[in-house]
């Protein structure tokens, strides 16, 4: 386990489509463990592999509400529903926060670290975090979706988890 350094904008790693994962090996497990340590050390609630320098389709989400960490390999959004506007941040954009409109509900198909296919449903901020991370795997950054920037002062009353 190790804390890796986070790739920040601008960096071409953040804007390219990540490669599909085919090898569900020890190296993948180590990457997931390192990503978790890195996310926790950075006070984040989600992290995508390109943010630690690996352009592959791996992302994690953990809202810190006592549930198991969500590990998504090769995730695909199969259903969405509703819409909600909330403030988001991103570990690759220190000090930038903004309102982003995203589906309230999402159903995702992904593989776990052993390669087993599973389905996941999420709502509200968990759905938002999952969709933010899946965007990273397609080189899509939340700044391209911000409808209103939010400054630090205003943020004190808002959620400020970073993804
Ligand atoms: Co992010």
């Amino acid at each position: 386990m190790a804390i890796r350094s986070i790739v920040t904008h601008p960096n071409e790693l953040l804007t390219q489509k990540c490669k599909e994962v085919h090898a569900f090996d020890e190296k993948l497990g180590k990457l997931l463990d390192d990503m978790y340590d890195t996310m926790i050390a950075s006070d984040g609630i989600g992290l995508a592999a390109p943010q630690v320098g690996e352009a592959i389709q791996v992302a994690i989400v953990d809202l810190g509400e006592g549930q198991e960490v969500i590990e998504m390999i090769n995730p695909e959004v199969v259903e969405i529903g509703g819409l909600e506007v909330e403030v988001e941040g991103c570990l690759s954009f220190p000090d930038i926060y903004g309102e982003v409109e995203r589906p309230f509900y999402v159903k995702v198909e992904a593989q776990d670290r052993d390669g087993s296919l599973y389905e996941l449903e999420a709502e509200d901020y968990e759905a938002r975090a999952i969709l933010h991370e899946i965007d990273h795997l397609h080189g899509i950054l939340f700044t391209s979706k911000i409808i209103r920037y939010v400054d630090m002062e205003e943020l004190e009353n808002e959620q400020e988890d970073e993804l």
Side-chain angles (χ1 to χ4, degrees):
M1 311 240 274
I3 293 167
R4 303 201 185 189
S5 56
I6 291 182
V7 174
T8 52
H9 174 80
N11 187 306
E12 63 181 23
L13 265 167
L14 296 175
T15 51
Q16 62 185 266
K17 185 159 169 45
C18 295
K19 289 200 182 79
E20 230 177 271
V21 173
H22 297 292
F24 293 84
D25 53 11
E26 238 173 78
K27 201 175 148 211
L28 176 66
K30 168 132 181 51
L31 171 65
L32 283 159
D33 292 341
D34 286 355
M35 283 173 63
Y36 183 77
D37 290 345
T38 305
M39 179 183 75
I40 295 299
S42 314
D43 283 327
I45 59 167
L47 193 66
Q51 293 181 282
V52 293
E54 307 265 359
I56 57 173
Q57 292 183 29
V58 176
I60 59 171
V61 167
D62 184 357
L63 264 53
E65 292 169 350
Q67 291 139 312
E68 225 173 284
V69 55
I70 297 168
E71 297 184 341
M72 299 182 289
I73 325 293
N74 305 324
E76 273 191 54
V77 174
V78 292
E79 206 180 316
I80 53 170
L83 277 176
E84 191 177 52
V85 175
E86 268 290 352
V87 177
E88 284 181 27
C90 178
L91 291 170
S92 295
F93 289 83
D95 300 331
I96 290 186
Y97 297 91
E99 289 181 343
V100 176
E101 185 177 73
R102 291 198 192 268
F104 177 80
Y105 163 85
V106 68
K107 188 195 275 187
V108 170
E109 220 172 69
Q111 283 165 283
D112 66 15
R113 65 166 66 199
D114 300 317
S116 304
L117 207 62
Y118 71 94
E119 226 173 53
L120 167 74
E121 287 180 293
E123 291 184 344
D124 208 354
Y125 216 85
E126 187 173 54
R128 173 172 301 274
I130 287 167
L131 288 163
H132 177 116
E133 300 315 332
I134 291 176
D135 271 357
H136 270 299
L137 305 183
H138 294 91
I140 299 165
L141 298 170
F142 89 121
T143 44
S144 71
K145 296 186 168 178
I146 289 179
I147 52 176
R148 188 176 73 88
Y149 283 88
V150 173
D151 62 34
M152 300 297 277
E153 230 172 84
E154 193 180 343
L155 197 66
E156 287 182 7
N157 307 313
E158 298 270 3
Q159 187 140 13
E160 50 185 301
D161 300 312
E162 296 185 275
L163 300 156

